[in-house]
Amino acid sequence: MPPRSNPSERQRRLGLELRKLRNSAGLSGDRAGALLDADRTRISNIEAGRIDLGHSRLRMLLREYGCPPGAYFECLLEMAADPGTGWWDGHRDVMSRSALDLAALESRCSGIRIHEPLFIPGMLQTQEYAEAVVRATGGNGDPTDRYVEFRLARQHTLTGPDPVPYHAVVHEAALRVHTGGTHTMRRQLLRLIELARLPHVTLQIFPFERGAYAAFSRPFVLFAGPTPELDTVYLEHPLNTVFLGDGEHIDEYGKMFERLSGLAFDPVDPQAAPEAHDNRDSISLIQHIMYAL
């Protein structure tokens, strides 16, 4: 079978991990190829996610690379065996490869931390708001309904029977931009409060009064993997999206998120009664903006 031309994020990530392990072991591509009775080109294709490696050969390679037995070792084997299929397959005719990869990553992560400066995060959007965002960002014509359907289906990760911990820092600007109009925004802000009261959801608002911050114009998502080595940073740009899996970037964005969280208002407390909000916090700001609409 010829090498695939468009590997999935999961396939690319497995290849990246194998490259990191090989480099840590001090093995050249030629030496690694010899372990598989193959050449450097095959190793290059495996590490780019273009070629799969069978379970027994992958296990042997991991041992030769010095990967110790444990959770990380087993997760790499599971990644290789994962067929990569899911509910998102029904949208392959409309959605981009990166959007499908994002849905697959959300389905297998163990936690999500997101910073969003301009829009309400997709996981927290109402249908009306999602429709307005899709129209505003260029989704026109018949596929628009499918884009919205896909976006809402992704929320199952947050609202399904086995939800993942979710922590969002949203800039006040996202609450004040009238995306879809006044009625849509009022319903969206009510939805924010509703979801923020879920025990696995942490929502913080970054207010204008805290001033500018280096990250405030950069949306990003941190996905916790099944082991820390498999954490991922997701960056979305107008022309392309990027999945980062190296430790340096993960540490950098992790520290950035902690700083944003520390500067933002206190999160919505699901146990607190409305009259308990005598100081400015995230829920009082959401309510203030909502009542002013």
Side-chain angles (χ1 to χ4, degrees):
M1 181 179 296
R4 59 177 67 90
S5 60
N6 189 23
S8 69
E9 182 275 330
R10 175 187 57 81
Q11 292 161 338
R12 289 191 300 270
R13 182 57 185 272
L14 176 60
L16 172 64
E17 295 303 311
L18 291 175
R19 182 183 299 117
K20 289 193 289 189
L21 288 168
R22 177 177 61 78
N23 288 334
S24 295
L27 296 178
S28 66
D30 289 329
R31 176 57 184 152
L35 295 172
L36 299 175
D37 294 323
D39 57 17
R40 173 191 290 269
T41 300
R42 185 168 183 83
I43 290 297
S44 178
N45 280 325
I46 289 170
E47 293 179 351
R50 293 191 290 263
I51 292 179
D52 294 326
L53 196 59
H55 185 276
S56 61
R57 305 191 87 192
L58 175 58
R59 182 180 289 274
M60 180 271 291
L61 205 60
L62 291 174
R63 287 172 174 165
E64 293 290 338
Y65 286 172
C67 184
Y72 177 54
F73 189 104
E74 296 302 322
C75 283
L76 292 178
L77 293 176
E78 290 175 9
M79 285 178 70
D82 187 347
T85 56
W87 64 264
W88 50 88
D89 290 324
H91 298 266
R92 289 185 182 276
D93 59 322
V94 173
M95 305 308 300
S96 66
R97 172 77 264 180
S98 60
L100 300 173
D101 284 341
L102 175 61
L105 179 57
E106 289 170 340
S107 74
R108 68 175 189 265
C109 74
S110 60
I112 299 172
R113 291 177 291 167
I114 177 171
H115 169 244
E116 179 55 69
L118 190 57
F119 293 108
I120 304 299
M123 287 280 188
L124 309 178
Q125 292 177 6
T126 65
Q127 180 171 338
E128 292 172 309
Y129 186 94
E131 290 170 350
V133 170
V134 169
R135 288 194 299 269
T137 53
N140 298 309
D142 294 337
T144 299
D145 289 344
R146 298 286 304 284
Y147 294 151
V148 173
E149 179 186 331
F150 178 81
R151 179 167 297 204
L152 297 180
R154 287 174 45 215
Q155 296 180 2
H156 188 73
T157 301
L158 189 63
T159 59
D162 189 23
V164 302
Y166 182 88
H167 186 171
V169 176
V170 181
H171 199 277
E172 182 179 347
L175 278 59
R176 292 192 179 275
V177 175
H178 286 198
T179 304
T182 300
H183 177 73
T184 295
M185 282 305 301
R186 185 176 292 115
R187 289 174 59 86
Q188 177 59 73
L189 295 179
L190 281 170
R191 177 66 170 165
L192 271 188
I193 295 172
E194 175 188 341
L195 291 174
R197 293 190 180 279
L198 296 175
H200 59 280
V201 173
T202 302
L203 174 63
Q204 292 181 265
I205 306 302
F206 193 104
F208 285 127
E209 65 193 57
R210 296 292 159 88
Y213 182 69
F216 117 74
S217 62
R218 296 187 231 164
F220 63 87
V221 189
L222 284 156
F223 291 100
T227 67
E229 297 91 341
L230 296 175
D231 288 356
T232 301
V233 175
Y234 172 78
L235 305 175
E236 186 171 2
H237 300 288
L239 298 180
N240 70 314
T241 57
V242 179
F243 296 88
L244 302 174
D246 61 279
E248 182 178 348
H249 280 108
I250 291 168
D251 288 344
E252 176 186 345
Y253 279 94
K255 292 174 183 177
M256 193 181 300
F257 186 87
E258 291 305 314
R259 289 194 291 270
L260 285 164
S261 178
L263 290 168
F265 278 160
D266 289 341
V268 173
D269 181 357
Q271 305 299 324
E275 61 271 15
H277 301 282
D278 52 350
N279 296 317
R280 294 195 72 191
D281 58 9
S282 293
I283 193 169
S284 65
L285 180 55
I286 295 172
Q287 290 172 330
H288 172 77
I289 295 172
M290 181 176 64
Y291 295 147
L293 289 172

